[in-house]
Amino acid sequence: MAKKQYEMVIGLEVHVELDTNTKIFCGCSTKFGASPNTQTCPVCMGLPGSLPVLNKKVVDYAVKAGIATNCSITPRGKQDRKNYFYPDLAKAYQVSQYDLPLCHDGYIEIEEENENYKIGITRIHIEEDAGKLIHTDGGSLIDYNRAGVPLIEIVSEPDIRSAAQAKAYLQKLRSIIMYAGISDCKMNEGSFRCDVNLSVREKGSEILGTRTEMKNLNSFSFIVKAIESEFKRQIEVIESGDEVIQETRRWDPELGKSFSMRTKEDAHDYRYFPDPDLAPIVITKEKLKEIKDSIEVLPDQRKKTYMDSYGLTAYEADKLVSEKFIADFYEEAVKEGSAKLVANLMLSEVFRLLGKEEEAEKIPFAPSKLGVLAKRIEEDVISQSMAKKIVELLWKSDKDVDEIIEKEDMRQITDVALLEGIISKLIAENEDIVSSYKAGKEKAFQALVGSVMRQTKGKASPSLTAKILSELITK
């Protein structure tokens, strides 16, 4: 009997903290990293008699996210109370949206292993964040600074079939949100975090299995590992004859496995009802147009421009548009030098020193310097290998490119007469290598070029050296 083949079915819930100065219903600061419980007030603590006032920017940002992800916008919506008790929720309810989310029925397109996929977006709604529990040996402490920080929750359709697709979707979504200018999406600060809903079924089946949910994953690598681990765990449960339990699980990155936290609630458990203290949310056609017009060029449009206007490959363009700051940096650099050379320097040297693209704003020099560097390569002033060293020096100092070239004596030798003399002597001293080249051994030619580079301490122009060498050998 053939072994059963399984597939995973994944839907993702992404929580994005909006980049507003104040909380969703009060004037408290949303600044990250403040001392515990210093950014609270009667409203975000839910004290009796306090009344919420909706931050208009939260609505604008949520609608922006909806437009950027091809959603329909609800013209008249409302906010609802989601009732549950947990220590980090001072009011014992969360203000969210139930049946009338601000945005619905959208999608984003992703590319994975040269295949294009459309991932549906069920809804985007606004809600308030909860506080933060800090567990210690002596018990648990609560910091309510985060309580009331505005969130949007972006809920996907269960269209994702692999960990790689999930990662591609999240990276694309994060990029869109950042381009729209509504969140910094700093995963290490919890501004962009994900709940993974996963079930398993036999390949070919249309029936969904029982899903589990893994909460608050804030690293792409953790998300991939958590998905792969849960997929394997559910298959083992099914094949042992047991049933998968609908539950919420916690991923432990150090142990590389998940643990059950609680049985998963359904909507009726939360006893949603409209918040009586908050007015309906009305989005007029005029307001919708105003928000739409305020959205800058999104990643897919920039990618197309880079391919059509700059001649970049799909891979190169994808990498450069992955972060708005990187794309902005690239476009500024291109004003000074070759688009293709700037792209090569960005993808090889800058990304290498950067380490992680999510930390792009740590590039410590101006884009114009990279553009000038590309121009000096194009002018044959320096070589590609010299450019690598110059990028490293730019990272450590505030000197200009030309200052570094002169100080480090990196200017290439482009004197034809000087190179002809060096190369003629080399040919005379290496007749056996020259004969090998003439016999068809291409490596022999590269060996001669290498000898010239060693003699000139890497300063001979590689292209000019190859040209002169070829001419002199074939004389």
Side-chain angles (χ1 to χ4, degrees):
M1 185 177 176
K3 189 175 181 180
K4 290 181 179 178
Q5 297 293 310
Y6 296 95
E7 71 173 357
M8 60 179 80
V9 179
I10 299 170
L12 299 175
E13 299 172 14
V14 177
H15 291 88
V16 180
E17 286 188 358
L18 301 178
D19 194 15
T20 58
N21 292 324
T22 57
K23 293 184 181 181
I24 188 168
F25 298 124
C26 65
C28 291
S29 171
T30 58
K31 188 175 180 181
F32 180 81
S35 298
N37 298 309
T38 57
Q39 296 176 172
T40 60
C41 73
V43 173
C44 52
M45 291 295 290
L47 298 183
S50 61
L51 289 172
V53 177
L54 179 60
N55 185 336
K56 288 183 179 179
K57 188 173 275 192
V58 173
V59 176
D60 290 354
Y61 279 2
V63 172
K64 239 185 184 183
I67 294 169
T69 53
N70 307 294
C71 287
S72 298
I73 307 302
T74 303
R76 185 180 176 88
K78 62 183 175 67
Q79 295 174 87
D80 302 278
R81 291 187 181 182
K82 180 180 180 180
N83 297 275
Y84 66 95
F85 176 77
Y86 205 65
D88 59 11
L89 197 66
K91 295 182 289 194
Y93 66 84
Q94 178 190 38
V95 178
S96 182
Q97 292 187 288
Y98 179 44
D99 53 336
L100 289 174
L102 272 176
C103 319
H104 58 92
D105 298 312
Y107 67 89
I108 63 172
E109 293 176 333
I110 64 168
E111 186 177 326
E112 197 262 318
E113 292 188 351
N114 298 319
E115 293 283 339
N116 293 316
Y117 301 92
K118 184 181 281 189
I119 308 299
I121 291 175
T122 310
R123 57 188 281 146
I124 301 175
H125 62 261
I126 59 173
E127 62 186 26
E128 59 183 337
D129 209 345
K132 184 178 180 181
L133 283 171
I134 300 157
H135 303 290
T136 69
D137 291 338
S140 294
L141 305 174
I142 307 172
D143 178 7
Y144 283 111
N145 282 349
R146 198 173 66 182
V149 168
L151 295 176
I152 52 173
E153 182 175 344
I154 305 169
V155 182
S156 85
E157 289 289 309
D159 293 339
I160 297 167
R161 296 292 177 269
S162 70
Q165 280 186 19
K167 182 179 178 182
Y169 166 82
L170 290 168
Q171 288 178 325
K172 181 70 171 285
L173 181 62
R174 181 174 180 270
S175 181
I176 289 169
I177 295 299
M178 292 180 73
Y179 273 76
I182 65 178
S183 174
D184 59 25
C185 290
K186 290 180 179 177
M187 298 181 79
N188 62 319
E189 294 182 5
S191 298
F192 186 94
R193 54 190 193 266
C194 173
D195 299 343
V196 175
N197 291 278
L198 185 149
S199 65
V200 168
R201 68 183 178 191
E202 285 188 49
K203 281 190 175 179
S205 172
E206 294 299 317
I207 301 170
L208 293 173
T210 302
R211 67 186 171 93
T212 62
E213 181 179 32
M214 283 179 287
K215 301 286 286 184
N216 291 329
L217 296 162
N218 65 348
S219 154
F220 292 134
S221 61
F222 290 170
I223 290 163
V224 168
K225 288 173 184 174
I227 287 171
E228 290 171 345
S229 172
E230 180 61 10
F231 180 52
K232 183 180 176 184
R233 188 193 72 82
Q234 288 194 23
I235 290 173
E236 289 173 353
V237 169
I238 293 166
E239 293 195 332
S240 70
D242 291 333
E243 292 184 357
V244 174
I245 298 168
Q246 183 171 320
E247 62 183 348
T248 300
R249 299 181 68 85
R250 176 180 63 84
W251 173 253
D252 188 319
E254 292 184 8
L255 295 176
K257 59 192 296 188
S258 63
F259 297 90
S260 179
M261 291 173 64
R262 59 183 181 269
T263 55
K264 175 66 182 164
E265 299 88 350
D266 287 313
H268 64 264
D269 295 318
Y270 293 120
R271 306 186 316 282
Y272 283 98
F273 65 87
D275 193 305
D277 294 331
L278 290 162
I281 300 172
V282 178
I283 310 293
T284 64
K285 289 180 181 178
E286 293 75 20
K287 185 64 176 176
L288 195 58
K289 184 180 184 303
E290 178 192 321
I291 295 170
K292 190 172 184 178
D293 291 345
S294 72
I295 298 174
E296 295 182 19
V297 180
L298 294 171
D300 282 350
Q301 295 164 280
R302 277 193 171 183
K303 178 182 174 181
K304 188 176 187 304
T305 299
Y306 293 177
M307 293 172 69
D308 294 347
S309 303
Y310 298 152
L312 302 189
T313 65
Y315 171 80
E316 291 169 334
D318 252 337
K319 295 294 283 183
L320 290 172
V321 303
S322 63
E323 297 277 340
K324 186 176 185 296
F325 180 84
I326 287 175
D328 290 344
F329 189 100
Y330 173 70
E331 289 185 15
E332 284 298 311
V334 164
K335 292 176 182 177
E336 301 289 339
S338 156
K340 192 71 175 177
L341 283 173
V342 170
N344 289 342
L345 289 169
M346 289 282 292
L347 295 172
S348 56
E349 305 315 316
V350 173
F351 277 18
R352 176 177 63 84
L353 293 169
L354 202 57
K356 293 181 180 177
E357 289 141 78
E358 293 91 51
E359 298 173 6
E361 293 186 48
K362 291 184 180 177
I363 298 174
F365 56 86
S368 58
K369 292 186 179 182
L370 198 71
V372 170
L373 184 59
K375 192 173 184 180
R376 297 296 176 263
I377 297 170
E378 199 173 14
E379 294 168 344
D380 219 20
V381 173
I382 58 169
S383 66
Q384 289 276 9
S385 61
M386 290 173 178
K388 178 178 178 178
K389 294 174 185 173
I390 291 171
V391 173
E392 290 175 354
L393 291 169
L394 286 171
W395 214 270
K396 299 171 185 174
S397 75
D398 58 358
K399 291 185 173 63
D400 290 331
V401 171
D402 291 331
E403 280 183 78
I404 292 172
I405 291 171
E406 297 307 324
K407 185 181 177 185
E408 302 294 327
D409 193 21
M410 288 182 170
R411 190 174 289 273
Q412 287 195 126
I413 297 171
T414 54
D415 185 318
V416 174
L418 177 59
L419 287 174
E420 281 180 345
I422 294 169
I423 292 168
S424 295
K425 186 180 178 186
L426 192 73
I427 290 171
E429 292 173 350
N430 294 275
E431 290 182 4
D432 54 336
I433 299 178
V434 173
S435 299
S436 293
Y437 171 65
K438 288 180 176 179
K441 293 185 177 177
E442 192 64 36
K443 286 184 179 178
F445 186 85
Q446 297 304 323
L448 291 169
V449 171
S451 295
V452 175
M453 299 307 290
R454 281 192 296 277
Q455 282 194 30
T456 59
K457 296 181 180 177
K459 291 174 66 178
S461 165
S463 57
L464 188 56
T465 296
K467 181 175 179 290
I468 294 170
L469 183 59
S470 180
E471 290 171 353
L472 293 178
I473 285 178
T474 54
K475 266 188 178 181

